Amino acid sequence: MGNLFSSMFDRLWGVNKELRILILGLDGAGKTTILYRLQIGEVVTTKPTIGFNVETLSYKNLKLNVWDLGGQTSIRPYWRCYYADTSAVIFVVDSTDKDRMATASKELHLMLQEEELQDAALLVFANKQDQVGALSASEVSKELNLVELKDRSWSIVASSAIKGEGITEGLDWLIDVIKEEQL
Amino acid sequence: MSTHTYKKFESGDSGDLPDKMTIYQDCMTQFNESPVNAKRCRILISRLLRLLANGEVFPETEATALFFSISKLFQHPNDSLRQAVYLSIKELSGISEDVLMATSSIMKDVQNGSDLVKSNAIRSLSVVLDESTAFSAERMLKSAVVSKNPTISSASLVTSYHLLPISENTVKRFSNETQEAVVDLKPFPQQDIIGDYYPNSTFITQYHALGLLYQLKKNDKMSLLKLVRQFADSNNLKNQLAKVQLIKIVNELVQRDPQLFPQFQGLLYHWLSNKYESVQIEVTKVITSFAATNQRLVSPELFAVAVQTLQSLLTVPRVTTKFAALRILNRLSMVSPDKILICNPELESLINDSNRNVSTYAITILLKTGTEKNISSLISTITKFIHEVSDDFKIIIIDAVRTLSLNFPQEWKAILNFLIDVLKNGEGGFKFKNNIVEALIDIVSFVPQSKELALENLCDFIEDCEFNEILVRILHLLGKEGPFTSNPSLYVRHIYNRLVLENSIIRSAAVVSLSKFALSKKDTSLRKSIVSLLKRIANDPDDEVRDRAVIALQFIENSNERISEEFIQSKYTYDFQSLESVLSVYMNNNSDSFETPFDVSNVRKITEDEAKALELKRKQDQLHNSRLEAIETCTADGSINNERADAATYAGPSSAEDQSELLASKYADELLSIEEFKPFGKLINSSNVVSLTEPEAEFVVNGVKHILKEHVIFQFNITNTLNDVALDNVAVTCTPEDPDNAILEELFSIPIDRLLPSTEGAVYVAFKKSEEIVMEGFLNNLTFTTKELNPETNEPFEGDEGFEDEYEIDSIFLNAGDYIKNSFVGDFTTVFDELPNEEVAVYNIQENITVQEVIDKIIVNTSCLPLENTQFAQSESNSHILKLFGKSALTGVKIALIVRIVKSSKGVALKAQGKSENATLCADLINSII
């Protein structure tokens, strides 16, 4: 009975609604590390993701369904199978990997053209800030041509998944935007 | 979904499958919903699985969409839903290409999931991993193998087994862990037990571990030996399937190296008294199948105990065990029926078993083990039994009786009476009756004494027979055999009845049959009455009947007796295969729009005796092949296939007789098409294919000897097995073994200009010989020029002169047997006594070979047909009498042989006694039987 009431309340306040969030990006950008940083607050040793990891976490009274899809070239074509009903996309970029900025930019813009992602908010993590020679957030933003994006809420945050910097800030922004626009 | 449709889907007994598209749509909506309803999704997956299990397939796009929506269920932590997800991933892996997307999620469960889903996750790994990703699962699989939980350990072992073909190296790295898992007894973990129920572990992990271990070591004989010794001695192997597996490994070892058998004998003996029936069955199977090929190595005591074990298994209440034991006994009954005689009481009591599979099997075994003494009692038993079983079983029994009639021609009376009884009184469909009639026809044609009784009863039968096909066959048989019986007019009445009472198909068959009686020598008065009968029929309303009657009248009233005989009672038929090929050549070469009539003289004719010989041989071979199969069934695949693939062993490759016949007519056609051989005239006889090199040689050569009237042609078929070398000017030099007394005069040889890699070509060497039988041996040398090929053009490099080479191949012998064609005779003893010109020869063979091997060799060497079922040696006895009959291919002179074989500790002694119309032929053949 108690469960029934609480679920009714949840539904009233829209709390029980699960939000789907995708974490995308090239291979080795740090997507899986960010996912588990969010879920258990620790750094886990990861292997290249073949396929995807999915975790459910509660954040500020919201239930988040976070999908971390593998970034290897062979797996990228499958991203689109998971676009449906997505509230937000977290795009992770390895800020030290200057050679592949162009590739990352191409993949990002290709993805954002998809019909199913028209309403999704975009958060870009300029990751690996703890390493020497990492580009700053604004440099990454320039490389990725983010200014070109129209009709979309987006933000770029400098982060370091290893040190845990920037992750919550980014997520806070994202939740605010989603609450404002979609709930 | 409404309750109505819900009910419809769920009623398990109805057998209605849920609608494919409804399920698909439901899956797509339910699985993509957020949040996921675990229970509903699980039910939906189970429905999907039911569809797939019933063979429904989804197109690839839909299957892929299904897979991706199912993969979304990984977000829900419910264990039972996860199990269902794994099952569906495994099922979909066959149709959807993208299952690798689940890899990470599965691996996460393998590492961190609950014990409940762990094993399912591990099992689904085998379908998602490929060569590049397998190594990443290595550590997980290894630690799962050593897990204390039996289900997890089993899952990991089975998955590794399936990964072997994908990534053998990965799996090889945990062979030590696997070895431990074999002896590790893993009970279910205590904490999983809820309530009082505590499942006993069956230790199935042992079986899975042993299976994997065998796959890892199967190519290493020594470690397999070690493995068997290690696990057989310890008492740690508790699982019965694991024991069965171990026995199978023993079987594999002894089949590969028969000499190992003695050292396993004690072990096998021990296993025979194992408490598990499956183990007993498997051991008896190993012992008996091994004994079939290597009798000398199996101690008689062991064999006897094995048979006793089978005997006791026949009395257990479980049908499957009984059936398995019967199967082994059935195989034994074909190889050595005398050894399982002690099981007869049990078999007889099984005749009344309520399971018809068991009872029918028991009967067929009894029929095969039947000896001359108990056949009649056996037949009276089945007479009571046969009316109670269904048609299918009846047919099996009739077939067994039919082979019996070929094996025991002297028991024809009892068999005939039985067949006639079931024919007249048995209820059954066309197939059943047809089988009986076929069995009767067999008896009539191979057991001449039975002819009149059988024909009389068949006459009675056709008075009341509803099947046109059977009627026609019987009418044909009456026409063929009737005129030569003591009282032909008896049959005429029956045939005429058909003419009055039946439909046009039967009437036309009856006309042909009737006309044959007109030429009966026994009753010359018949001719007149038949002519008047035929004249009456010539007014029949049916065209075909009328035509046949008129033609028959023409032939009968023709004054030339030879013509009428040839057309009405034709003594030969054409060889259908060669007739077909000649006809198709004629149709294709339609150069003058069929102005030239078809020349039938090129087609090989088969006289009645030859046709019978062929048929009997085919039937014997059928028997023989089933025997071989029985022997080979248990022999591991391919392990003994390294025999020389030629016809020199009579038992030889079990390829059907038809094939060698086809080969013979193929060679004959090839020969005829060569211009140089045209003047030599017709091909009289071709020998079997003899192989002249080891099959693994660089150039595989086999030879065929063709006999023509005044010439002999050796055909050497050469296969170039090299990859990039062509052979030019391939020729064979034949040197007489004894040059001083050479009789054959070499005329010319036809070399092969160029033999490309992996192709076969034929070199012919022609000799002139007198019309007599000439025997000679030749030493052969293959000469050729090798030229390396340019891989691009497949032509030799320019300017490559190649270099000449020689290659010695085995000698080829032209012996008396090459002049003999096998032939059939119904009453061997009488014919043998009547033939003049007796020759006797005695041989001593110092080698240690079995009687059966000697028999096979003699049959091949003499090309004669073994009669009265003497081609099989009784397994126990050391002596045997072989009866052979043949005809000279040149003159058609009959020859009959009786070979007495005695085996002693020193070797094998033969006494061959031959009789023939031609003394030289007889002497020649007798002197070269082995």
Side-chain angles (χ1 to χ4, degrees):
Chain A
M1 227 24 181
N3 274 342
L4 183 68
F5 271 111
S6 76
S7 69
M8 277 172 72
F9 274 110
D10 287 351
R11 219 166 280 167
L12 270 177
W13 301 114
V15 182
N16 203 33
K17 169 102 174 129
E18 285 186 357
L19 295 179
R20 269 171 71 89
I21 297 177
L22 300 184
I23 306 183
L24 304 174
L26 300 190
D27 46 308
K31 298 177 294 298
T32 309
T33 317
I34 289 180
L35 173 69
Y36 288 102
R37 184 95 218 177
L38 282 171
Q39 202 212 6
I40 48 177
E42 280 171 30
V43 178
V44 294
T45 47
T46 59
K47 280 185 291 194
T49 306
I50 309 160
F52 61 88
N53 294 300
V54 55
E55 297 297 343
T56 314
L57 43 119
S58 302
Y59 195 82
K60 292 193 173 171
N61 268 345
L62 280 176
K63 248 188 160 175
L64 303 184
N65 228 321
V66 188
W67 297 73
D68 151 42
L69 299 177
Q72 288 169 350
T73 333
S74 56
I75 297 177
R76 278 179 230 158
Y78 297 116
W79 286 356
R80 43 180 304 280
C81 301
Y82 298 89
Y83 289 161
D85 301 322
T86 300
S87 310
V89 174
I90 300 177
F91 195 80
V92 185
V93 183
D94 178 354
S95 312
T96 61
D97 189 0
K98 288 157 199 157
D99 299 339
R100 293 206 295 167
M101 279 299 169
T103 324
S105 170
K106 204 185 89 201
E107 290 289 348
L108 175 69
H109 289 280
L110 209 65
M111 165 191 80
L112 292 176
Q113 281 167 17
E114 291 280 340
E115 184 77 32
E116 289 172 305
L117 292 179
Q118 284 319 305
D119 296 329
L122 171 71
L123 168 65
V124 179
F125 276 129
N127 200 21
K128 304 202 183 173
Q129 290 297 327
D130 51 299
Q131 291 193 22
V132 199
L135 298 177
S136 72
S138 55
E139 281 169 318
V140 172
S141 166
K142 219 169 129 193
E143 291 277 353
L144 294 182
N145 256 334
L146 289 180
V147 277
E148 272 191 8
L149 293 176
K150 303 282 184 308
D151 300 326
R152 187 183 299 276
S153 308
W154 65 270
S155 171
I156 179 161
V157 176
S159 68
S160 162
I162 301 282
K163 291 190 175 168
E165 288 163 1
I167 306 290
T168 36
E169 288 87 335
L171 207 62
D172 284 346
W173 173 85
L174 197 62
I175 298 299
D176 287 344
V177 169
I178 295 173
K179 272 188 177 163
E180 205 173 291
E181 291 182 355
Q182 296 176 18
L183 294 179
Chain B
M1 191 187 295
S2 74
T3 43
H4 176 69
T5 48
Y6 182 85
K7 273 250 170 77
K8 194 179 128 205
F9 287 167
E10 291 311 300
S11 56
D13 297 333
S14 71
D16 286 344
L17 278 182
D19 177 56
K20 197 162 98 175
M21 282 330 283
T22 320
I23 296 283
Y24 175 73
Q25 290 301 342
D26 282 355
C27 285
M28 296 311 273
T29 49
Q30 286 286 335
F31 298 165
N32 287 320
E33 222 165 63
S34 167
V36 171
N37 183 329
K39 198 176 169 194
R40 215 179 284 163
C41 288
R42 199 154 56 90
I43 291 171
L44 209 49
I45 289 183
S46 67
R47 277 205 207 115
L48 177 70
L49 289 175
R50 183 162 167 233
L51 272 183
L52 293 171
N54 274 286
E56 291 278 354
V57 274
F58 287 92
E60 204 183 318
T61 47
E62 281 169 24
T64 310
L66 265 177
F67 168 74
F68 280 110
S69 56
I70 286 172
S71 79
K72 286 176 186 167
L73 298 176
F74 271 110
Q75 60 180 297
H76 203 285
N78 183 309
D79 277 347
S80 1
L81 175 63
R82 198 62 64 82
Q83 288 185 308
V85 167
Y86 283 130
L87 284 178
S88 56
I89 287 179
K90 265 202 296 188
E91 291 303 319
L92 285 174
S93 66
I95 16 182
S96 166
E97 291 287 310
D98 312 300
V99 284
L100 94 144
M101 277 303 278
T103 314
S104 264
S105 315
I106 295 173
M107 287 196 183
K108 201 187 119 203
D109 271 355
V110 174
Q111 280 166 317
N112 305 322
S114 72
D115 278 359
L116 199 59
V117 295
K118 235 182 193 173
S119 55
N120 295 72
I122 295 172
R123 280 170 192 267
S124 56
L125 266 184
S126 65
V127 297
V128 299
L129 292 182
D130 60 27
E131 214 181 335
S132 55
T133 51
F135 75 97
S136 59
E138 183 193 330
R139 273 219 354 249
M140 269 177 264
L141 288 172
K142 197 191 261 187
S143 64
V145 165
V146 295
S147 163
K148 280 289 155 209
N149 187 322
T151 45
I152 294 176
S153 182
S154 278
S156 177
L157 289 164
V158 172
T159 303
S160 311
Y161 186 94
H162 288 301
L163 280 180
L164 267 175
I166 300 168
S167 170
E168 199 180 347
N169 288 333
T170 307
V171 182
K172 267 193 176 148
R173 281 195 281 268
F174 38 94
S175 68
N176 283 337
E177 283 77 5
T178 311
Q179 187 125 11
E180 277 168 37
V182 179
V183 282
D184 204 359
L185 294 172
K186 292 176 181 173
F188 286 115
Q190 289 286 343
Q191 68 269 21
D192 283 3
I193 313 305
I194 307 154
D196 297 333
Y197 177 66
Y198 180 76
N200 276 325
S201 179
T202 53
F203 305 116
I204 191 77
T205 328
Q206 297 190 318
Y207 171 58
H208 295 145
L210 194 59
L212 178 60
L213 203 57
Y214 167 70
Q215 287 298 325
L216 290 172
K217 303 200 164 179
K218 66 177 171 193
N219 294 323
D220 181 357
K221 187 176 120 188
M222 286 326 282
S223 58
L224 276 186
L225 269 174
K226 213 175 109 195
L227 188 148
V228 172
R229 241 173 257 139
Q230 185 187 348
F231 298 136
D233 296 341
S234 73
N235 272 330
N236 275 335
L237 219 53
K238 298 273 185 231
N239 181 272
Q240 58 168 321
L241 286 177
K243 286 191 182 199
V244 170
Q245 176 71 23
L246 198 61
I247 296 168
K248 285 190 171 168
I249 297 177
V250 171
N251 182 42
E252 161 108 24
L253 280 168
V254 297
Q255 292 292 355
R256 263 195 253 171
D257 183 359
Q259 298 307 325
L260 288 174
F261 192 82
Q263 58 167 299
F264 287 121
Q265 209 140 245
L267 200 56
L268 294 171
Y269 195 83
H270 177 69
W271 273 328
L272 275 176
S273 50
N274 194 284
K275 64 172 172 170
Y276 295 115
E277 283 162 5
S278 58
V279 175
Q280 294 182 5
I281 293 273
E282 194 62 36
V283 177
T284 49
K285 202 153 106 187
V286 170
I287 296 173
T288 53
S289 70
F290 184 78
T293 41
N294 301 284
Q295 209 179 1
R296 269 164 282 160
L297 295 169
V298 184
S299 82
E301 296 82 41
L302 182 68
F303 194 89
V305 177
V307 174
Q308 271 162 27
T309 312
L310 285 173
Q311 188 184 8
S312 61
L313 287 173
L314 288 179
T315 56
V316 299
R318 278 161 298 281
V319 174
T320 40
T321 311
K322 274 193 277 196
F323 188 73
L326 281 170
R327 270 172 60 106
I328 298 174
L329 283 172
N330 183 44
R331 263 186 223 138
L332 273 177
S333 71
M334 291 188 241
V335 188
S336 41
D338 43 324
K339 284 194 179 155
I340 55 169
L341 279 179
I342 55 160
C343 301
N344 275 4
E346 281 77 11
L347 288 172
E348 272 161 29
S349 63
L350 284 181
I351 292 179
N352 297 319
D353 196 278
S354 56
N355 185 310
R356 286 305 179 202
N357 289 313
V358 170
S359 54
T360 312
Y361 235 140
I363 284 197
T364 43
I365 297 171
L366 280 171
L367 287 175
K368 280 172 199 144
T369 58
T371 55
E372 286 162 42
K373 287 165 216 129
N374 68 358
I375 278 191
S376 38
S377 71
L378 206 56
I379 283 177
S380 69
T381 327
I382 45 177
T383 316
K384 280 175 238 147
F385 168 84
I386 195 162
H387 298 298
E388 293 161 19
V389 295
S390 73
D391 263 22
D392 288 339
F393 291 130
K394 281 183 190 162
I395 290 170
I396 295 174
I397 294 170
I398 294 294
D399 278 343
V401 173
R402 185 170 157 186
T403 31
L404 201 67
S405 70
L406 289 183
N407 291 352
F408 297 102
Q410 54 287 39
E411 289 300 314
W412 61 272
K413 222 166 199 162
I415 297 169
L416 193 67
N417 283 331
F418 164 74
L419 288 174
I420 287 165
D421 174 61
V422 275
L423 184 64
K424 284 184 181 164
N425 304 325
E427 300 276 315
F430 166 72
K431 226 177 146 196
F432 167 57
K433 297 272 173 170
N434 194 37
N435 266 46
I436 304 175
V437 171
E438 251 172 49
L440 282 170
I441 292 176
D442 267 4
I443 297 183
V444 169
S445 42
F446 297 118
V447 189
Q449 309 90 297
S450 69
K451 204 179 280 178
E452 303 210 356
L453 184 60
L455 289 183
E456 266 170 50
N457 281 291
L458 283 173
C459 281
D460 281 352
F461 174 67
I462 55 172
E463 292 291 336
D464 183 24
C465 170
E466 51 184 318
F467 304 107
N468 283 353
E469 290 91 333
I470 296 180
L471 262 169
V472 171
R473 292 189 73 168
I474 295 177
L475 284 171
H476 174 75
L477 183 74
L478 287 177
K480 207 170 97 188
E481 305 286 354
F484 306 100
T485 52
S486 54
N487 188 9
S489 60
L490 180 73
Y491 308 108
V492 173
R493 202 191 71 220
H494 287 280
I495 297 172
Y496 187 68
N497 280 350
R498 296 304 98 212
L499 269 170
V500 180
L501 298 168
E502 299 283 357
N503 61 36
S504 60
I505 299 173
I506 295 166
R507 285 207 305 276
S508 36
V511 169
V512 175
S513 163
L514 198 59
S515 62
K516 291 184 178 167
F517 282 87
L519 300 184
S520 166
K521 296 275 184 302
K522 292 250 168 58
D523 191 349
T524 37
S525 62
L526 261 182
R527 183 185 173 123
K528 229 175 96 193
S529 19
I530 286 178
V531 167
S532 69
L533 284 178
L534 284 174
K535 274 188 178 147
R536 217 177 302 163
I537 303 162
N539 296 323
D540 194 274
D542 187 84
D543 290 353
E544 178 72 23
V545 180
R546 226 165 35 230
D547 289 355
R548 286 191 188 197
V550 171
I551 290 177
L553 274 172
Q554 282 296 318
F555 286 137
I556 293 170
E557 289 177 340
N558 191 310
S559 51
N560 188 339
E561 211 161 87
R562 201 187 57 79
I563 290 183
S564 44
E565 230 168 70
E566 189 168 323
F567 283 98
I568 293 179
Q569 285 177 339
S570 160
K571 284 278 175 277
Y572 56 83
T573 52
Y574 289 103
D575 175 24
F576 289 124
Q577 266 154 12
S578 78
L579 180 63
E580 187 196 355
S581 68
V582 176
L583 262 177
S584 62
V585 169
Y586 177 71
M587 296 299 284
N588 290 335
N589 293 352
N590 171 22
S591 50
D592 51 359
S593 46
F594 304 117
E595 285 291 314
T596 37
F598 176 64
D599 182 12
V600 83
S601 64
N602 279 337
V603 182
R604 203 170 77 163
K605 285 176 187 171
I606 301 174
T607 64
E608 217 168 298
D609 281 352
E610 278 172 348
K612 272 190 184 173
L614 276 176
E615 201 179 328
L616 186 64
K617 193 148 183 281
R618 216 188 59 233
K619 281 185 177 136
Q620 285 172 349
D621 282 355
Q622 264 172 10
L623 210 66
H624 197 82
N625 284 343
S626 60
R627 234 174 65 131
L628 277 179
E629 266 164 38
I631 294 168
E632 275 170 12
T633 329
C634 288
T635 326
D637 321 358
S639 59
I640 54 155
N641 284 353
N642 45 8
E643 282 175 36
R644 287 179 70 149
D646 58 5
T649 47
Y650 173 66
S654 55
S655 55
E657 178 67 13
D658 290 353
Q659 221 168 330
S660 72
E661 248 174 66
L662 268 182
L663 211 62
S665 73
K666 185 187 129 210
Y667 287 147
D669 286 347
E670 278 173 9
L671 212 60
L672 281 177
S673 64
I674 295 172
E675 202 57 44
E676 283 88 337
F677 297 139
K678 288 264 161 78
F680 290 4
K682 261 198 276 181
L683 179 65
I684 293 171
N685 201 10
S686 292
S687 75
N688 288 325
V689 181
V690 200
S691 99
L692 299 171
T693 53
E694 295 298 325
E696 59 270 15
E698 285 177 349
F699 315 109
V700 183
V701 184
N702 54 46
V704 187
K705 296 163 272 183
H706 301 287
I707 311 279
L708 294 94
K709 201 171 176 208
E710 290 176 10
H711 300 86
V712 178
I713 299 169
F714 290 158
Q715 175 181 353
F716 298 93
N717 297 314
I718 300 152
T719 313
N720 179 6
T721 64
L722 296 179
N723 276 333
D724 38 15
V725 175
L727 308 180
D728 277 17
N729 300 322
V730 188
V732 177
T733 357
C734 302
T735 342
E737 276 192 333
D738 185 4
D740 302 331
N741 295 319
I743 318 162
L744 291 179
E745 177 192 340
E746 184 173 333
L747 292 175
F748 56 86
S749 81
I750 303 176
I752 308 171
D753 292 340
R754 171 166 298 162
L755 193 61
L756 290 171
S758 336
T759 51
E760 194 190 270
V763 171
Y764 298 93
V765 184
F767 296 89
K768 186 166 176 53
K769 75 168 185 61
S770 57
E771 282 190 40
E772 303 290 295
I773 291 173
V774 176
M775 288 180 285
E776 207 169 344
F778 285 92
L779 301 170
N780 305 315
N781 232 350
L782 194 65
T783 60
F784 48 85
T785 314
T786 56
K787 281 189 181 164
E788 218 165 300
L789 286 182
N790 184 341
E792 281 156 26
T793 58
N794 225 7
E795 289 283 324
F797 290 103
E798 246 175 81
D800 178 12
E801 289 180 1
F803 60 100
E804 288 181 17
D805 210 346
E806 274 193 4
Y807 190 81
E808 197 177 323
I809 53 181
D810 292 356
S811 320
I812 197 162
F813 295 97
L814 188 63
N815 48 34
D818 296 327
Y819 297 89
I820 304 286
K821 270 186 180 172
N822 57 31
S823 179
F824 174 81
V825 65
D827 190 358
F828 181 81
T829 326
T830 331
V831 174
F832 187 81
D833 290 342
E834 280 168 4
L835 284 171
N837 302 324
E838 183 169 343
E839 284 287 339
V840 177
V842 178
Y843 294 84
N844 266 312
I845 305 168
Q846 303 285 356
E847 294 164 61
N848 185 17
I849 58 175
T850 64
V851 175
Q852 187 64 53
E853 283 163 345
V854 176
I855 294 172
D856 292 346
K857 225 169 160 182
I858 294 176
I859 294 173
V860 173
N861 277 348
T862 56
S863 323
C864 286
L865 183 74
L867 291 171
E868 299 185 6
N869 208 32
T870 55
Q871 72 272 36
F872 300 127
Q874 295 295 312
S875 50
E876 291 267 279
S877 76
N878 281 327
S879 62
H880 186 75
I881 298 174
L882 176 66
K883 295 176 180 173
L884 295 166
F885 191 74
K887 271 183 181 175
S888 159
L890 295 172
T891 53
V893 163
K894 288 184 200 139
I895 181 156
L897 303 178
I898 292 183
V899 187
R900 292 185 169 78
I901 305 166
V902 178
K903 186 176 155 67
S904 66
S905 53
K906 284 182 203 140
V908 181
L910 304 179
K911 185 184 169 204
Q913 189 184 6
K915 276 190 155 189
S916 169
E917 290 160 357
N918 181 319
T920 26
L921 175 75
C922 189
D924 286 344
L925 190 62
I926 281 291
N927 288 324
S928 65
I929 64 165
I930 204 135

